[in-house]
Amino acid sequence: MTNLSDSPDRFGLISRVFHWGMAALFAAQFTSAAAHWALPRENTLRETLWSFHTDLGITLFVLVVLRGAWGLWNLRNRPAHDGQIGGAAKAGHVVLYGLMVVVPLVRIVAAAGGRRGLSYFGMSIVPARETAIAWTQAVSEWHGELGWTLAAVILGHILFAVVYHRMIQKDGVMERMA
Ligand code: HEM
Ligand code: HEM
């Protein structure tokens, strides 16, 4: 029977669904960001991809909070990370979580404190206001840079999992998340 919760030798179904489901959603989110960065303003593909950036970004924020809570709940039963490499892996996962929270959060705060307000799938969460709250706009200036930093850390994470664990060490680390 498939375990829903994590165990010392394998991540459970819920953690694996969070991991792979969110990996797919992050791929879509970075595609929209890359099109926004690379294509000219009037390009239709850019506009189509950009049209879901905010709603998907808020969705990812909610999902990472739920995933983090599930991870903490399961912390004592998760696969262990021993030695120096294990310690580095743990630190890497903490950095991933930190950026997964901060990147959308600064933009959500900016939208909530901005003149247009914050909407989610057409539903108004924070109404428009006459003047923006200055500090909320200042923090959001880091959104793009931090977003690309997250992309780079994710790339390192994938390379480490596939090249180091799966191809060189063949130590079963990949299998416990697969
Ligand atoms: C985890 C979720 C998110 C990721 C990974 C992400 C990533 C990015 C990246 C990499 C850029 C830079 C694009 C460029 O260089 O042209 C960007 C821009 C932008 N994002 Fe996001 N984003 C996320 C969530 C959000 C949310 C929740 C909102 C709105 C509430 C948002 C609104 C924007 C806006 C308006 C820009 C263009 C202005 C700027 O660069 O700050 N994003 N995003
Ligand atoms: C092809 C893409 C990916 C591969 C092959 C991959 C592989 C893995 C593997 C094998 C583990 C288990 C590591 C261990 O037991 O120590 C893991 C854990 C983890 N991965 Fe990935 N990953 C991918 C994409 C992503 C993405 C896109 C993110 C974040 C945006 C991410 C974030 C994490 C985090 C935070 C963990 C720690 C466990 C948890 O809390 O879920 N991964 N990954």
Side-chain angles (χ1 to χ4, degrees):
M1 209 187 93
T2 308
N3 270 345
L4 291 182
S5 300
D6 299 338
S7 64
D9 43 61
R10 195 154 192 231
F11 287 95
L13 184 65
I14 294 181
S15 292
R16 282 181 278 131
V17 169
F18 269 130
H19 181 270
W20 295 111
M22 285 179 69
L25 295 179
F26 267 106
Q29 187 71 340
F30 283 118
T31 305
S32 79
H36 184 260
W37 172 74
L39 299 173
R41 238 168 221 282
E42 59 283 1
N43 184 285
T44 325
L45 177 65
R46 179 188 194 263
E47 291 317 301
T48 310
L49 291 170
W50 195 246
S51 65
F52 64 67
H53 188 87
T54 297
D55 290 332
L56 181 54
I58 297 173
T59 305
L60 278 165
F61 177 71
V62 173
L63 287 174
V64 76
V65 171
L66 296 174
R67 175 178 172 178
W70 180 250
L72 287 176
W73 182 260
N74 280 268
L75 201 56
R76 282 156 169 267
N77 293 321
R78 298 198 127 187
H81 295 90
D82 301 322
Q84 267 187 342
I85 297 278
K90 241 195 241 174
H93 295 162
V94 171
V95 171
L96 279 169
Y97 271 107
L99 286 169
M100 284 194 282
V101 170
V102 170
V103 169
L105 185 61
V106 291
R107 256 291 157 194
I108 290 170
V109 167
R115 291 181 51 204
R116 280 193 289 172
L118 177 68
S119 300
Y120 183 53
F121 287 106
M123 205 167 42
S124 172
I125 309 287
V126 181
R129 64 180 77 237
E130 293 243 316
T131 35
I133 304 169
W135 69 267
T136 63
Q137 308 308 296
V139 291
S140 79
E141 282 177 19
W142 290 89
H143 176 73
E145 280 80 359
L146 287 172
W148 292 125
T149 307
L150 173 59
V153 179
I154 290 175
L155 199 65
H157 169 75
I158 296 172
L159 284 176
F160 208 71
V162 175
V163 178
Y164 179 78
H165 286 299
R166 173 97 200 201
M167 291 161 75
I168 299 177
Q169 293 293 84
K170 301 187 173 80
D171 53 9
V173 164
M174 192 71 172
E175 284 66 25
R176 57 197 198 183
M177 186 53 100

